[in-house]
Amino acid sequence: MRDIGDLRRILERIDGRGYKAYRDLKGTYANEGLELHVDHVQSDPFAPPSRMRVRIPQSAALIPPELFGNPSRKRGLEDLLTREFAKAADRYAGKQGGTGKSGLVAIDSCGQEILKRTSMVVCEDYVEARFVAGLPAGGRRVHGRKAFRMLADEVPRAARASMVYSALDADRVRLHVESAEDQSTLRERLESLGLVAFVADGSLLPRMSGVSDMPMDRKSAVPFASPPELRTSVELPNAGTVCGMGVPSGVTLVVGGGYHGKSTLLRAIERGVYDHVPGDGRELVVTVADAVKIRAEDGRSVVQDDIHHFIGRLPGGEETRRFSSTNASGSTSQAANIVEALECGCRLLLLDEDTSATNFMVRDARMQKLVSRENEPITPFIDRVRELHDVLGVSTVLVLGGSGDYIDVADHVLMMRDYRLLEVTGEAREVARQLKSRRCAEGRSELSAVSERAPQPDCFSLPGRRDKVRARGRSLILYRKTPIDLSFLEQLVSASQTRAIARIMVYMARHCLDGSIPLSSAVDRVLEEIDANGLDVVSPFEGHPGELALPRKQEICAAVNRFRKLRVRQLQPL
Ligand code: ADP
Ligand code: MG
């Protein structure tokens, strides 16, 4: 291993030379008990910045082992240290300006969710941050002195301020770690409690604005309070006893007037599949891990989905047991979204009338009379939602204000009034008794498990050494030249997850597909591999695995399903 003297000598030697001379830096340097790894050097000051790691042995970092003693604590701690490193890099680094990205020191950015990330590793032996750095340039020439200050002084300072336990706020660390553990524990326990979601009393659900995921100002927000009928208490490892609303499995309606907070509640439940940072307001809004938000998504591509339980024979006689479309309609896209969610093992569907296709949700009595059943391919969701639960064990939480017909098929009816939630099942039943719905049920065949589909390996072909699969922000992947649009995946929360999905697709294409393995099992295999060996396994970068955060199986499958070159073989029903 080289030391800091070697770093100085190299930089003195290449100072003023063309930028490519920075390549000589590649390697590892010891610097007063800390290691700096230069894994990849950028070719140009304007190119993506260089990839580096800084490692501090536990003999110096001294992080108490109980803070990373189980997977959820470890995830919480690594997430927090990433945030601390980002703050410290802001404070101590980034002062060596120049052309292009000169002087930049940055680590993956984090939002309100606590995700499993590749940006930080805490283990028994060391703590390691994976970051990027813009090696300083004047014009296109090496600026050796600035580079030395950055690598020998700024980076170590940022690292020591954020990765050494004594430099951190111990209470803050403990809170973050314990909160992650509480949320994960509660999520795992929901099923045995007979619940699909839990919303703690006092939670703060509304967000600052339509474009910010930060909590609304506490002074203007009405805190959540459970209706007494659904109030339950849960015992958490760190927070102790917590009270709140348990959403039971089954069919739950959330009704209420416009602008009374219905969608806000549903959105919080959607995001409850992830852990949230302390102070977010949704720390104890926890939902079963495989819940999927279902919406209409017209224009999406669909490849051989068996949607016949929702959509029968289409005009022109098109078969819907193998439905494909390059431009699905509102109702067919929503049906496809449900079928695909079921295919990858979802137990809770979340729907909001705001983002649903009206004709997919319900046909009222008059419309049933006017448009006869033979001329309407759709079996509306209202005629399937009970079976989804009773036959397949899949629950639904449904927000709506427009159709009272749903009262007949609901187990629980909740009402939002002025941002306060009431239990109104009794009242709703009484209304339904007085005002009978004139519509008749339209289910044609009995609902059964959906057929699985096996992706065909050749459609993912990746010739050449460079795979050319790239993520662009949160909502776009370019698979070679084919765009995959993820904008409507409301439970995909970070660009780092999208980058990981792109890598996972490549990994799956290379290692898991044989033409007969179902999509769901292929993704399970990758996730098992990640579970055993870390998210690093899907990264193309040796040493420095990039800025990845773990996506859910649901979003990975969703990305594959939206790939316009996808080809599948449909298998026998499950
Ligand atoms: P709905 O779906 O019932 O029409 P929304 O959930 O869209 O209503 O909420 C309407 C507005 O009220 C939004 O601007 C939202 O931020 C705000 N809001 C929602 N819940 C609360 C709350 N608990 N306290 C204060 N404002 C809220
Ligand atoms: Mg709404």
Side-chain angles (χ1 to χ4, degrees), residues 206-207 216 220-222 257-264 267 354 419:
R207 300 293 95 191
M216 181 184 268
S220 3
V222 177
Y259 219 69
H260 280 245
K262 306 182 297 296
S263 299
T264 302
R267 270 199 293 273
D354 290 353
Y419 312 134

Side-chain angles (χ1 to χ4, degrees), residues 177-293:
V177 165
E178 291 183 347
S179 176
E181 183 180 40
D182 280 349
Q183 297 179 60
S184 298
T185 310
L186 177 53
R187 191 169 299 110
E188 277 160 25
R189 232 182 260 165
L190 284 176
E191 189 168 9
S192 63
L193 295 168
L195 303 177
V196 290
F198 178 86
V199 185
D201 288 340
S203 294
L204 200 135
L205 311 183
R207 300 293 95 191
M208 192 135 81
S209 77
V211 290
S212 166
D213 204 31
M214 300 295 286
M216 181 184 268
D217 179 11
R218 279 194 186 269
K219 286 198 272 312
S220 3
V222 177
F224 182 83
S226 171
E229 297 83 347
L230 293 180
R231 182 164 288 138
T232 164
S233 62
V234 290
E235 207 55 47
L236 299 179
N238 305 298
T241 310
V242 174
C243 280
M245 171 175 73
V247 181
S249 63
V251 178
T252 304
L253 300 188
V254 180
V255 302
Y259 219 69
H260 280 245
K262 306 182 297 296
S263 299
T264 302
L265 171 64
L266 191 76
R267 270 199 293 273
I269 292 176
E270 271 162 53
R271 292 294 180 90
V273 298
Y274 297 113
D275 299 344
H276 288 92
V277 297
D280 174 81
R282 299 169 296 183
E283 299 93 300
L284 287 171
V285 181
V286 172
T287 307
V288 287
D290 51 33
V292 177
K293 171 69 177 286

Side-chain angles (χ1 to χ4, degrees), residues 140-159:
R140 285 180 196 271
R141 312 225 148 255
V142 168
H143 202 307
R145 229 171 335 108
K146 284 187 177 175
F148 188 74
R149 257 185 255 131
M150 175 167 125
L151 298 178
D153 181 38
E154 288 186 355
V155 167
R157 256 158 61 119

Side-chain angles (χ1 to χ4, degrees), residues 317-479:
E318 196 184 335
E319 225 325 13
T320 52
R321 282 175 192 268
R322 286 186 168 73
F323 175 75
S324 298
S325 172
T326 57
N327 185 8
S329 67
S331 55
T332 52
S333 62
Q334 194 159 0
N337 285 347
I338 291 179
V339 167
E340 289 166 1
L342 299 178
E343 191 182 348
C344 75
C346 140
R347 286 167 303 160
L348 174 65
L349 303 174
L350 303 169
L351 282 84
D352 191 329
E353 66 177 356
D354 290 353
T355 49
S356 292
T358 310
N359 60 341
F360 181 76
M361 298 309 287
V362 71
R363 279 189 347 121
D364 67 11
R366 284 182 168 167
M367 203 48 88
Q368 286 183 326
K369 185 140 195 173
L370 182 65
V371 180
S372 71
R373 210 158 120 201
E374 296 71 59
N375 292 316
E376 173 53 274
I378 301 173
T379 300
F381 190 68
I382 189 172
D383 293 318
R384 288 299 187 199
V385 66
R386 277 251 56 90
E387 278 177 290
L388 276 167
H389 185 250
D390 301 343
V391 179
L392 301 181
V394 177
S395 298
T396 297
V397 175
L398 173 57
V399 160
L400 86 184
S403 169
D405 289 341
Y406 267 93
I407 293 170
D408 293 333
V409 293
D411 295 306
H412 297 275
V413 184
L414 308 177
M415 188 193 294
M416 264 293 185
R417 190 192 290 155
D418 297 330
Y419 312 134
R420 284 169 231 277
L421 195 60
L422 312 165
E423 216 274 355
V424 296
T425 313
E427 252 175 281
R429 292 258 154 80
E430 184 52 31
V431 168
R433 206 181 53 78
Q434 286 173 15
L435 286 177
K436 285 254 174 292
S437 166
R438 313 274 280 283
R439 76 180 297 278
C440 31
E442 299 191 320
R444 285 165 223 235
S445 53
E446 194 171 313
L447 188 64
S448 54
V450 300
S451 327
E452 291 203 281
R453 295 163 307 141
Q456 301 302 294
D458 51 348
C459 68
F460 293 97
S461 84
L462 294 164
R465 219 163 53 83
R466 294 185 167 225
D467 55 54
K468 300 207 178 92
V469 179
R470 301 279 176 273
R472 294 263 176 283
R474 189 204 67 95
S475 37
L476 182 66
I477 290 175
L478 288 172
Y479 197 98

